[in-house]
Amino acid sequence: MDQQIIKWTDKIIYWSFVLIVFLVPIIFLNNITLSFELPKSSLFRMLTIVIWIGLLIKLLIKKNISLSIPSKFTQISLAGFMITAILATIYSISPHLSFFGSYERQQGLLQLFFYISFFTATIIFFSTNKEKIFSLIKVACYSAALISIIAILQKIFPQLTATIWHTEDLLGRVQGTLGQPNFLGSYLIILVPFFIAQFFLHETNKHKLIQVILLTFVITAIILSGSRAAILALTGELIIFSLYWNKKIFAGLAGIIIISSIILLPRFTFENENLRAVKTRLITWQTTIHQIAEKPFLGYGQETFRESFKKFQPKEIFLYEKFGTELDRAHNEILDTTAEIGLVGLIFYLIFYLNIIKAGFLNKKNILILAASSSLIGLFIANMFGFSTTTHRIFFWLLAGIIIALTQKIKNFKIKIDRTITVILIMILVFFAFKTAINQGVADYYYRQSINSSMEMRDFEAIDYIQKATKTNPYQN
């Protein structure tokens, strides 16, 4: 009986991972205010809680746990990063905002707890289920291919898709289901090395051809996104991947990069919209350095960039941005991280990042590990000119966990856990799921209905909806 429970629990855990990598990038809801980021964040939180409920049930039955143990440097840097993030929240200029995160981005300390929990669950589950990693990666690639096809359709049928994805303001660029062209580009480059890895792992020409076709869709979508950061990141990760795995494929990958660059050449010229974006970035980066100098050690707190930047924001920025524009990111991961959790947090974060990549390249004979390491480098390059959303961060922590699960030695620990305690923990997790995930979506739906009612001059109905929204989720503005 116990073995049957463990078997079904493993299936639930694995399929929760599958739903995260497949559905989170795809999901969006047009009938709420925050159509893209909120559904992705809420679904991720719910499924992470489901995974942990499954792990607790397994632990209760087996009374032991086997998992790959990260290196001491990795453990120390992650612990330092977490402690710094907590201290930065406590001493934040807005502790409430730093804990829950801004409503538009959903990236506060609470979300970081979910990422770390997901990372830990990835190590625990896949340390003893390594054979399931490849199938999970395949699912993630299918999702990326589907999103790429959607992005291509947005280009081919702009008027039809504009009513669904609101693409009319994107200047001919595509966003897929990520909500913004740059987000689409930086998401797709994470999966590109895995398409190439599958090409080498599959033995039949039929399956190799499928990977080539799907990769063509993905590369086309990256080009159509018009993301310069994604092209630079793609270039970096493909060069690294090819040099470490097979120098003979470098010529083919170089061809992909050259063709992509030629097609995107207008995006690399410093004229009109391109010049505006570059000027804004340069001014923002220079200003952020002055901003950091005032609070260099612990920063201003997570998700507080919009508030802290106002004091330093130069008037010249309105030569290139609409008057009243409030920037909520520096569009550079090093500057954003330093502004939020200080130089201390940045150092711990970079040490953790480098240790994960180092563990991957020390095991470069495994093509999946090499693909994961190359993807993390590509994401880092892309974030030198942008920033991660929920989808990107999920894949960052997933790939970091997979690298550890595949490269580090497994140790077994005997853990006795009381049945009553397990039941209480599961009840807490279920309650947490409702409070942090489901209630957010319901509240946002009420908020959207309030806006619709107000626009139609049904003021009393609008007030009723806004009161429901506030009551359902009183924690965020």
Side-chain angles (χ1 to χ4, degrees):
M1 180 65 180
D2 285 351
Q3 290 303 314
Q4 282 294 105
I5 294 174
I6 291 174
K7 181 180 177 181
W8 280 102
T9 303
D10 274 341
K11 286 185 178 180
I12 291 170
I13 294 171
Y14 172 70
W15 280 100
S16 295
F17 275 105
V18 166
L19 290 174
I20 286 174
V21 300
F22 186 83
L23 278 185
V24 170
I26 289 176
I27 191 171
F28 68 95
L29 297 173
N30 269 342
N31 60 341
I32 62 175
T33 310
L34 206 58
S35 300
F36 294 95
E37 200 62 15
L38 183 58
K40 297 179 191 301
S41 175
S42 296
L43 181 61
F44 166 66
R45 291 182 183 186
M46 284 190 291
L47 290 172
T48 300
I49 287 172
V50 170
I51 289 170
W52 270 101
I53 290 173
L55 291 174
L56 284 172
I57 292 172
K58 280 186 66 177
L59 185 60
L60 177 64
I61 296 171
K62 294 180 70 175
K63 294 182 173 57
N64 70 77
I65 186 171
S66 300
L67 72 156
S68 302
I69 304 297
S71 67
K72 286 186 178 180
F73 261 147
T74 305
Q75 293 180 50
I76 292 170
S77 58
L78 180 59
F81 175 65
M82 279 298 300
I83 292 169
T84 307
I86 292 169
L87 290 174
T89 299
I90 293 171
Y91 294 102
S92 168
I93 59 173
S94 176
H96 179 275
L97 178 61
S98 292
F99 181 78
F100 288 103
S102 69
Y103 197 62
E104 295 85 356
R105 304 299 182 193
Q106 303 282 311
Q107 300 300 319
L109 183 65
L110 177 62
Q111 187 77 337
L112 180 59
F113 285 146
F114 273 98
Y115 292 138
I116 301 297
S117 298
F118 178 65
F119 166 70
T120 307
T122 300
I123 296 173
I124 293 172
F125 182 74
F126 289 108
S127 292
T128 54
N129 293 276
K130 291 180 172 63
E131 72 283 354
K132 294 182 179 180
I133 292 175
F134 183 53
S135 58
L136 181 70
I137 293 299
K138 286 199 292 185
V139 171
C141 288
Y142 289 140
S143 179
L146 178 58
I147 292 170
S148 298
I149 292 170
I150 291 172
I152 294 168
L153 291 174
Q154 289 172 348
K155 186 67 175 182
I156 297 173
F157 305 106
Q159 293 180 336
L160 179 63
T161 57
T163 58
I164 305 173
W165 288 288
H166 308 294
T167 56
E168 60 274 3
D169 297 326
L170 300 179
L171 302 176
R173 299 166 68 191
V174 299
Q175 63 180 3
T177 56
L178 274 294
Q180 208 271 350
N182 292 330
F183 298 161
L184 172 66
S186 55
Y187 157 68
L188 291 178
I189 60 104
I190 296 172
L191 278 305
V192 167
F194 291 104
F195 283 100
I196 301 171
Q198 287 186 79
F199 177 86
F200 286 104
L201 289 172
H202 285 300
E203 296 181 356
T204 65
N205 290 332
K206 175 185 174 182
H207 287 100
K208 288 180 183 292
L209 179 61
I210 290 172
Q211 296 308 313
V212 171
I213 293 171
L214 295 181
L215 180 58
T216 302
F217 286 135
V218 172
I219 296 295
T220 302
I222 293 173
I223 293 171
L224 294 178
S225 75
S227 174
R228 291 164 292 195
I231 289 295
L232 291 173
L234 181 67
T235 303
E237 71 181 9
L238 289 184
I239 290 173
I240 290 168
F241 183 88
S242 60
L243 291 178
Y244 270 92
W245 180 253
N246 187 336
K247 293 181 176 63
K248 292 180 180 179
I249 67 169
F250 181 75
L253 298 178
I256 293 174
I257 294 166
I258 291 169
I259 293 171
S260 302
S261 300
I262 292 172
I263 295 173
L264 269 180
L265 191 61
R267 286 285 296 160
F268 285 92
T269 58
F270 297 111
E271 298 176 354
N272 303 324
E273 172 64 18
N274 298 340
L275 180 62
R276 182 202 65 78
V278 170
K279 287 281 189 180
T280 300
R281 292 282 196 282
L282 292 175
I283 293 172
T284 303
W285 292 345
Q286 292 171 2
T287 307
T288 304
I289 293 171
H290 295 301
Q291 176 187 349
I292 290 169
E294 188 174 273
K295 291 192 71 175
F297 298 109
L298 288 177
Y300 296 85
Q302 289 179 284
E303 293 284 82
T304 60
F305 188 88
R306 178 186 278 118
E307 282 67 31
S308 59
F309 189 75
K310 289 176 182 177
K311 176 181 177 181
F312 304 89
Q313 182 168 294
K315 58 186 178 182
E316 289 80 11
I317 206 165
F318 295 121
L319 294 173
Y320 310 101
E321 295 290 335
K322 292 180 181 179
F323 185 76
T325 297
E326 295 183 346
L327 301 179
D328 70 339
R329 291 291 190 277
H331 289 78
N332 178 285
E333 187 160 41
I334 290 177
L335 293 177
D336 276 321
T337 303
T338 310
E340 290 189 344
I341 59 176
L343 289 169
V344 177
L346 174 69
I347 291 168
F348 280 124
Y349 175 67
L350 291 178
I351 292 173
F352 174 77
Y353 212 129
L354 290 171
N355 270 279
I356 294 295
I357 293 173
K358 178 185 174 183
F361 283 117
L362 287 175
N363 294 268
K364 59 187 178 185
K365 291 184 179 180
N366 185 318
I367 193 169
L368 284 180
I369 299 175
L370 178 60
S373 302
S374 302
S375 293
L376 291 180
I377 289 174
L379 181 61
F380 187 80
I381 294 171
N383 282 340
M384 289 300 96
F385 310 94
F387 57 93
S388 288
T389 63
T390 298
T391 302
H392 307 93
R393 292 184 188 274
I394 288 171
F395 276 93
F396 168 78
W397 291 105
L398 174 72
L399 296 182
I402 285 175
I403 288 173
I404 289 174
L406 289 174
T407 60
Q408 305 302 306
K409 292 181 180 179
I410 296 178
K411 290 187 178 180
N412 187 64
F413 301 91
K414 290 185 178 180
I415 300 175
K416 290 184 178 180
I417 182 169
D418 185 75
R419 189 179 297 271
T420 305
I421 293 175
T422 305
V423 172
I424 291 172
L425 286 173
I426 290 173
M427 290 175 66
I428 291 171
L429 287 173
V430 172
F431 174 78
F432 209 57
F434 274 96
K435 281 295 181 182
T436 65
I438 298 173
N439 277 12
Q440 264 196 322
V442 174
D444 197 272
Y445 170 77
Y446 287 142
Y447 178 54
R448 176 63 179 266
Q449 295 306 309
S450 172
I451 293 173
N452 293 341
S453 298
S454 179
M455 291 176 66
E456 295 172 5
M457 305 300 290
R458 291 182 278 114
D459 295 335
F460 287 106
E461 186 177 289
I463 292 171
D464 182 51
Y465 274 123
I466 200 68
Q467 288 176 339
K468 286 181 179 179
T470 306
K471 185 178 179 180
T472 305
N473 182 26
Y475 307 111
Q476 289 183 303
N477 294 328

PDB file of all heavy atoms in Angstrom, residues 358-380:
ATOM      1  N   LYS A 358      29.929  26.661 -13.016  1.00  0.00           N
ATOM      2  CA  LYS A 358      31.186  25.910 -12.889  1.00  0.00           C
ATOM      3  C   LYS A 358      30.901  24.416 -12.734  1.00  0.00           C
ATOM      4  O   LYS A 358      31.552  23.572 -13.378  1.00  0.00           O
ATOM      5  CB  LYS A 358      31.966  26.422 -11.676  1.00  0.00           C
ATOM      6  CG  LYS A 358      33.265  25.671 -11.428  1.00  0.00           C
ATOM      7  CD  LYS A 358      33.929  26.155 -10.146  1.00  0.00           C
ATOM      8  CE  LYS A 358      35.154  25.301  -9.824  1.00  0.00           C
ATOM      9  NZ  LYS A 358      35.766  25.714  -8.526  1.00  0.00           N
ATOM     10  N   ALA A 359      29.916  24.071 -11.896  1.00  0.00           N
ATOM     11  CA  ALA A 359      29.544  22.659 -11.711  1.00  0.00           C
ATOM     12  C   ALA A 359      29.096  22.044 -13.024  1.00  0.00           C
ATOM     13  O   ALA A 359      29.377  20.877 -13.308  1.00  0.00           O
ATOM     14  CB  ALA A 359      28.429  22.548 -10.667  1.00  0.00           C
ATOM     15  N   GLY A 360      28.422  22.842 -13.845  1.00  0.00           N
ATOM     16  CA  GLY A 360      27.968  22.354 -15.140  1.00  0.00           C
ATOM     17  C   GLY A 360      29.116  22.089 -16.096  1.00  0.00           C
ATOM     18  O   GLY A 360      29.188  21.022 -16.715  1.00  0.00           O
ATOM     19  N   PHE A 361      30.042  23.016 -16.209  1.00  0.00           N
ATOM     20  CA  PHE A 361      31.140  22.876 -17.166  1.00  0.00           C
ATOM     21  C   PHE A 361      32.183  21.849 -16.724  1.00  0.00           C
ATOM     22  O   PHE A 361      32.945  21.350 -17.552  1.00  0.00           O
ATOM     23  CB  PHE A 361      31.790  24.226 -17.431  1.00  0.00           C
ATOM     24  CG  PHE A 361      30.988  25.093 -18.343  1.00  0.00           C
ATOM     25  CD1 PHE A 361      30.471  26.303 -17.906  1.00  0.00           C
ATOM     26  CD2 PHE A 361      30.713  24.699 -19.648  1.00  0.00           C
ATOM     27  CE1 PHE A 361      29.708  27.101 -18.751  1.00  0.00           C
ATOM     28  CE2 PHE A 361      29.956  25.481 -20.498  1.00  0.00           C
ATOM     29  CZ  PHE A 361      29.454  26.685 -20.051  1.00  0.00           C
ATOM     30  N   LEU A 362      32.222  21.534 -15.435  1.00  0.00           N
ATOM     31  CA  LEU A 362      33.102  20.463 -14.975  1.00  0.00           C
ATOM     32  C   LEU A 362      32.578  19.094 -15.401  1.00  0.00           C
ATOM     33  O   LEU A 362      33.295  18.094 -15.334  1.00  0.00           O
ATOM     34  CB  LEU A 362      33.248  20.518 -13.449  1.00  0.00           C
ATOM     35  CG  LEU A 362      34.105  21.662 -12.893  1.00  0.00           C
ATOM     36  CD1 LEU A 362      34.066  21.676 -11.380  1.00  0.00           C
ATOM     37  CD2 LEU A 362      35.542  21.563 -13.393  1.00  0.00           C
ATOM     38  N   ASN A 363      31.303  19.061 -15.829  1.00  0.00           N
ATOM     39  CA  ASN A 363      30.682  17.822 -16.307  1.00  0.00           C
ATOM     40  C   ASN A 363      30.168  18.012 -17.729  1.00  0.00           C
ATOM     41  O   ASN A 363      29.060  17.616 -18.080  1.00  0.00           O
ATOM     42  CB  ASN A 363      29.529  17.421 -15.381  1.00  0.00           C
ATOM     43  CG  ASN A 363      29.988  17.045 -13.991  1.00  0.00           C
ATOM     44  OD1 ASN A 363      30.239  15.904 -13.694  1.00  0.00           O
ATOM     45  ND2 ASN A 363      30.093  18.052 -13.132  1.00  0.00           N
ATOM     46  N   LYS A 364      31.004  18.626 -18.560  1.00  0.00           N
ATOM     47  CA  LYS A 364      30.589  19.028 -19.902  1.00  0.00           C
ATOM     48  C   LYS A 364      30.361  17.853 -20.850  1.00  0.00           C
ATOM     49  O   LYS A 364      29.815  18.036 -21.944  1.00  0.00           O
ATOM     50  CB  LYS A 364      31.649  19.961 -20.505  1.00  0.00           C
ATOM     51  CG  LYS A 364      33.029  19.329 -20.612  1.00  0.00           C
ATOM     52  CD  LYS A 364      34.054  20.348 -21.039  1.00  0.00           C
ATOM     53  CE  LYS A 364      35.450  19.710 -21.096  1.00  0.00           C
ATOM     54  NZ  LYS A 364      36.491  20.694 -21.402  1.00  0.00           N
ATOM     55  N   LYS A 365      30.767  16.630 -20.452  1.00  0.00           N
ATOM     56  CA  LYS A 365      30.543  15.473 -21.318  1.00  0.00           C
ATOM     57  C   LYS A 365      29.071  15.085 -21.380  1.00  0.00           C
ATOM     58  O   LYS A 365      28.657  14.371 -22.280  1.00  0.00           O
ATOM     59  CB  LYS A 365      31.386  14.297 -20.831  1.00  0.00           C
ATOM     60  CG  LYS A 365      32.877  14.495 -21.044  1.00  0.00           C
ATOM     61  CD  LYS A 365      33.672  13.277 -20.634  1.00  0.00           C
ATOM     62  CE  LYS A 365      35.171  13.499 -20.871  1.00  0.00           C
ATOM     63  NZ  LYS A 365      35.982  12.322 -20.467  1.00  0.00           N
ATOM     64  N   ASN A 366      28.294  15.532 -20.396  1.00  0.00           N
ATOM     65  CA  ASN A 366      26.843  15.326 -20.411  1.00  0.00           C
ATOM     66  C   ASN A 366      26.223  16.508 -21.145  1.00  0.00           C
ATOM     67  O   ASN A 366      26.267  17.643 -20.662  1.00  0.00           O
ATOM     68  CB  ASN A 366      26.308  15.228 -18.984  1.00  0.00           C
ATOM     69  CG  ASN A 366      24.824  14.891 -18.939  1.00  0.00           C
ATOM     70  OD1 ASN A 366      24.025  15.420 -19.714  1.00  0.00           O
ATOM     71  ND2 ASN A 366      24.451  14.019 -18.020  1.00  0.00           N
ATOM     72  N   ILE A 367      25.630  16.250 -22.299  1.00  0.00           N
ATOM     73  CA  ILE A 367      25.155  17.348 -23.155  1.00  0.00           C
ATOM     74  C   ILE A 367      24.001  18.124 -22.515  1.00  0.00           C
ATOM     75  O   ILE A 367      23.854  19.327 -22.747  1.00  0.00           O
ATOM     76  CB  ILE A 367      24.746  16.806 -24.551  1.00  0.00           C
ATOM     77  CG1 ILE A 367      24.572  17.980 -25.527  1.00  0.00           C
ATOM     78  CG2 ILE A 367      23.501  15.937 -24.471  1.00  0.00           C
ATOM     79  CD1 ILE A 367      24.432  17.557 -26.970  1.00  0.00           C
ATOM     80  N   LEU A 368      23.183  17.451 -21.683  1.00  0.00           N
ATOM     81  CA  LEU A 368      22.087  18.166 -21.008  1.00  0.00           C
ATOM     82  C   LEU A 368      22.636  19.158 -19.984  1.00  0.00           C
ATOM     83  O   LEU A 368      22.112  20.275 -19.844  1.00  0.00           O
ATOM     84  CB  LEU A 368      21.132  17.178 -20.327  1.00  0.00           C
ATOM     85  CG  LEU A 368      20.176  16.415 -21.231  1.00  0.00           C
ATOM     86  CD1 LEU A 368      19.291  15.489 -20.406  1.00  0.00           C
ATOM     87  CD2 LEU A 368      19.304  17.368 -22.054  1.00  0.00           C
ATOM     88  N   ILE A 369      23.681  18.746 -19.265  1.00  0.00           N
ATOM     89  CA  ILE A 369      24.301  19.650 -18.298  1.00  0.00           C
ATOM     90  C   ILE A 369      24.942  20.830 -19.020  1.00  0.00           C
ATOM     91  O   ILE A 369      24.822  21.984 -18.584  1.00  0.00           O
ATOM     92  CB  ILE A 369      25.355  18.899 -17.454  1.00  0.00           C
ATOM     93  CG1 ILE A 369      24.696  17.772 -16.666  1.00  0.00           C
ATOM     94  CG2 ILE A 369      26.062  19.861 -16.510  1.00  0.00           C
ATOM     95  CD1 ILE A 369      25.676  16.908 -15.896  1.00  0.00           C
ATOM     96  N   LEU A 370      25.622  20.551 -20.128  1.00  0.00           N
ATOM     97  CA  LEU A 370      26.240  21.619 -20.918  1.00  0.00           C
ATOM     98  C   LEU A 370      25.190  22.581 -21.457  1.00  0.00           C
ATOM     99  O   LEU A 370      25.381  23.805 -21.437  1.00  0.00           O
ATOM    100  CB  LEU A 370      27.040  21.017 -22.073  1.00  0.00           C
ATOM    101  CG  LEU A 370      27.719  22.014 -23.017  1.00  0.00           C
ATOM    102  CD1 LEU A 370      28.699  22.898 -22.269  1.00  0.00           C
ATOM    103  CD2 LEU A 370      28.421  21.276 -24.158  1.00  0.00           C
ATOM    104  N   ALA A 371      24.054  22.032 -21.918  1.00  0.00           N
ATOM    105  CA  ALA A 371      22.964  22.875 -22.423  1.00  0.00           C
ATOM    106  C   ALA A 371      22.415  23.770 -21.320  1.00  0.00           C
ATOM    107  O   ALA A 371      22.146  24.959 -21.535  1.00  0.00           O
ATOM    108  CB  ALA A 371      21.852  22.002 -23.003  1.00  0.00           C
ATOM    109  N   ALA A 372      22.252  23.197 -20.116  1.00  0.00           N
ATOM    110  CA  ALA A 372      21.737  23.974 -18.987  1.00  0.00           C
ATOM    111  C   ALA A 372      22.688  25.099 -18.612  1.00  0.00           C
ATOM    112  O   ALA A 372      22.270  26.249 -18.374  1.00  0.00           O
ATOM    113  CB  ALA A 372      21.500  23.056 -17.786  1.00  0.00           C
ATOM    114  N   SER A 373      23.994  24.802 -18.577  1.00  0.00           N
ATOM    115  CA  SER A 373      24.990  25.824 -18.240  1.00  0.00           C
ATOM    116  C   SER A 373      25.030  26.923 -19.301  1.00  0.00           C
ATOM    117  O   SER A 373      25.109  28.113 -18.973  1.00  0.00           O
ATOM    118  CB  SER A 373      26.376  25.174 -18.107  1.00  0.00           C
ATOM    119  OG  SER A 373      26.360  24.167 -17.116  1.00  0.00           O
ATOM    120  N   SER A 374      24.965  26.516 -20.576  1.00  0.00           N
ATOM    121  CA  SER A 374      24.959  27.500 -21.668  1.00  0.00           C
ATOM    122  C   SER A 374      23.720  28.388 -21.588  1.00  0.00           C
ATOM    123  O   SER A 374      23.799  29.597 -21.836  1.00  0.00           O
ATOM    124  CB  SER A 374      25.005  26.777 -23.023  1.00  0.00           C
ATOM    125  OG  SER A 374      26.148  25.962 -23.131  1.00  0.00           O
ATOM    126  N   SER A 375      22.585  27.798 -21.240  1.00  0.00           N
ATOM    127  CA  SER A 375      21.341  28.566 -21.113  1.00  0.00           C
ATOM    128  C   SER A 375      21.444  29.614 -20.018  1.00  0.00           C
ATOM    129  O   SER A 375      20.984  30.752 -20.186  1.00  0.00           O
ATOM    130  CB  SER A 375      20.172  27.620 -20.816  1.00  0.00           C
ATOM    131  OG  SER A 375      19.909  26.780 -21.909  1.00  0.00           O
ATOM    132  N   LEU A 376      22.047  29.234 -18.895  1.00  0.00           N
ATOM    133  CA  LEU A 376      22.193  30.186 -17.788  1.00  0.00           C
ATOM    134  C   LEU A 376      23.109  31.340 -18.177  1.00  0.00           C
ATOM    135  O   LEU A 376      22.873  32.492 -17.787  1.00  0.00           O
ATOM    136  CB  LEU A 376      22.738  29.464 -16.553  1.00  0.00           C
ATOM    137  CG  LEU A 376      21.780  28.467 -15.887  1.00  0.00           C
ATOM    138  CD1 LEU A 376      22.439  27.818 -14.678  1.00  0.00           C
ATOM    139  CD2 LEU A 376      20.473  29.146 -15.480  1.00  0.00           C
ATOM    140  N   ILE A 377      24.154  31.046 -18.954  1.00  0.00           N
ATOM    141  CA  ILE A 377      25.033  32.114 -19.443  1.00  0.00           C
ATOM    142  C   ILE A 377      24.267  33.017 -20.404  1.00  0.00           C
ATOM    143  O   ILE A 377      24.364  34.255 -20.343  1.00  0.00           O
ATOM    144  CB  ILE A 377      26.273  31.517 -20.135  1.00  0.00           C
ATOM    145  CG1 ILE A 377      27.193  30.876 -19.097  1.00  0.00           C
ATOM    146  CG2 ILE A 377      27.034  32.599 -20.919  1.00  0.00           C
ATOM    147  CD1 ILE A 377      28.375  30.146 -19.680  1.00  0.00           C
ATOM    148  N   GLY A 378      23.473  32.412 -21.298  1.00  0.00           N
ATOM    149  CA  GLY A 378      22.660  33.198 -22.231  1.00  0.00           C
ATOM    150  C   GLY A 378      21.691  34.112 -21.506  1.00  0.00           C
ATOM    151  O   GLY A 378      21.537  35.288 -21.862  1.00  0.00           O
ATOM    152  N   LEU A 379      21.032  33.592 -20.464  1.00  0.00           N
ATOM    153  CA  LEU A 379      20.090  34.404 -19.693  1.00  0.00           C
ATOM    154  C   LEU A 379      20.795  35.569 -19.010  1.00  0.00           C
ATOM    155  O   LEU A 379      20.275  36.694 -18.970  1.00  0.00           O
ATOM    156  CB  LEU A 379      19.381  33.530 -18.647  1.00  0.00           C
ATOM    157  CG  LEU A 379      18.348  34.225 -17.768  1.00  0.00           C
ATOM    158  CD1 LEU A 379      17.206  34.807 -18.603  1.00  0.00           C
ATOM    159  CD2 LEU A 379      17.789  33.264 -16.715  1.00  0.00           C
ATOM    160  N   PHE A 380      21.993  35.300 -18.493  1.00  0.00           N
ATOM    161  CA  PHE A 380      22.755  36.369 -17.832  1.00  0.00           C
ATOM    162  C   PHE A 380      23.108  37.469 -18.824  1.00  0.00           C
ATOM    163  O   PHE A 380      22.999  38.665 -18.516  1.00  0.00           O
ATOM    164  CB  PHE A 380      24.025  35.792 -17.198  1.00  0.00           C
ATOM    165  CG  PHE A 380      24.778  36.783 -16.362  1.00  0.00           C
ATOM    166  CD1 PHE A 380      24.380  37.063 -15.069  1.00  0.00           C
ATOM    167  CD2 PHE A 380      25.895  37.440 -16.866  1.00  0.00           C
ATOM    168  CE1 PHE A 380      25.068  37.984 -14.290  1.00  0.00           C
ATOM    169  CE2 PHE A 380      26.598  38.359 -16.108  1.00  0.00           C
ATOM    170  CZ  PHE A 380      26.184  38.631 -14.810  1.00  0.00           C
TER     171      PHE A 380
END
